């Protein structure tokens, strides 16, 4: 029963992140330089114990959904699958001294601001680098692309941090 519950929760989260991104957030652009990739929150905030195969399938599904809505020919899917592939490596890199509990989730309240900032910055920057370099297709306008990567990564990270602070519960009682 817990597997079915997990699946239903992930389907609802998928629909929520994709829907909010497509209907609302995608229209927010900073000076034609920064875009918010809000749907990445779905992938970044998956439970830590999620198997890699499930992460890759979910990343592909989310990326493909975005590609269908924006007619981007696989750019979102490729960058999202890269994020899904690199996430376990980054989690291993940032493993606390005592390790993760099986009930841990990626949560700024639970993991702390410094851990969360490094986690978010690494994965969002890697995703954005892949996305914008694939979009460009060459290194001809690398300065503009680098600007898009950095501004979009900052915009996306700030939006997802706000979501974490507003909507994810503070877990007390853990020493």
């Amino acid at each position: 029963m817990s597997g079915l519950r997990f699946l239903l929760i992930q389907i609802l989260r998928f629909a929520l992140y994709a829907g909010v991104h497509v209907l609302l957030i995608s229209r927010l652009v900073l000076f034609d330089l920064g875009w918010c990739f809000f749907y990445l929150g779905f992938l970044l905030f998956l439970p830590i114990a999620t198997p890699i195969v499930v992460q890759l399938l979910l990343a592909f599904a989310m990326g493909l959904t975005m590609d269908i809505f924006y007619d981007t020919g696989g750019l979102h899917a490729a960058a999202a699958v890269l994020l899904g592939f690199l996430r376990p490596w980054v989690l291993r890199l940032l493993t606390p001294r005592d390790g993760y509990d099986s009930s841990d989730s990626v949560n700024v309240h639970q993991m702390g601001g410094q851990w969360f900032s490094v986690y978010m910055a690494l994965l969002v920057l890697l995703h954005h680098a892949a996305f914008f370099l694939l979009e460009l297709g060459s290194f001809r306008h690398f300065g503009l692309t680098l600007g898009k990567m950095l501004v979009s990564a900052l915009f996306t990270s700030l939006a997802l941090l706000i979501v974490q602070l507003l909507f994810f519960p503070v877990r007390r009682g853990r020493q």
Side-chain angles (χ1 to χ4, degrees):
M1 191 63 166
S2 66
L4 180 62
R5 182 172 180 254
F6 174 79
L7 182 64
L8 289 175
I9 289 172
Q10 297 314 315
I11 289 171
L12 287 173
R13 286 183 65 242
F14 184 97
L16 180 70
Y17 277 101
V20 167
H21 180 81
V22 168
L23 297 174
L24 208 62
I25 303 294
S26 65
R27 291 169 179 45
L28 298 176
V29 178
L30 291 176
F31 311 112
D32 257 354
L33 199 60
W35 290 265
C36 182
F37 291 80
F38 185 76
Y39 70 89
L40 293 181
F42 172 74
L43 303 170
L44 292 169
F45 306 151
L46 282 170
I48 290 176
T50 306
I52 180 87
V53 173
V54 174
Q55 287 182 52
L56 291 173
L57 289 172
L58 290 173
F60 179 73
M62 181 59 85
L64 186 62
T65 302
M66 293 301 119
D67 285 329
I68 289 169
F69 278 104
Y70 298 111
D71 194 25
T72 49
L75 289 176
H76 287 281
V81 168
L82 177 68
L83 186 143
F85 177 76
L86 294 174
R87 183 176 180 261
W89 294 70
V90 171
L91 286 171
R92 259 185 253 127
L93 177 72
L94 298 175
T95 301
R97 192 171 2 133
D98 301 333
Y100 298 113
D101 290 338
S102 60
S103 63
D104 279 348
S105 63
V106 176
N107 185 322
V108 68
H109 304 295
Q110 189 173 355
M111 296 301 198
Q114 185 178 10
W115 183 95
F116 187 79
S117 298
V118 172
Y119 170 80
M120 180 82 70
L122 277 172
L123 287 174
V124 170
L125 275 172
L126 289 168
H127 170 273
H128 284 37
F131 181 84
F132 287 113
L133 288 173
L134 286 171
E135 179 188 47
L136 183 62
S138 73
F139 289 103
R140 190 172 329 136
H141 302 287
F142 187 71
L144 178 62
T145 302
L146 185 62
K148 285 181 180 181
M149 280 189 282
L150 295 175
V151 173
S152 295
L154 184 63
F155 191 15
T156 301
S157 297
L158 187 61
L160 294 176
L161 178 63
I162 291 170
V163 166
Q164 277 277 319
L165 293 173
L166 291 178
F167 298 110
F168 281 67
V170 177
R171 295 203 180 160
R172 302 192 194 281
R174 186 175 162 184
Q175 300 296 334

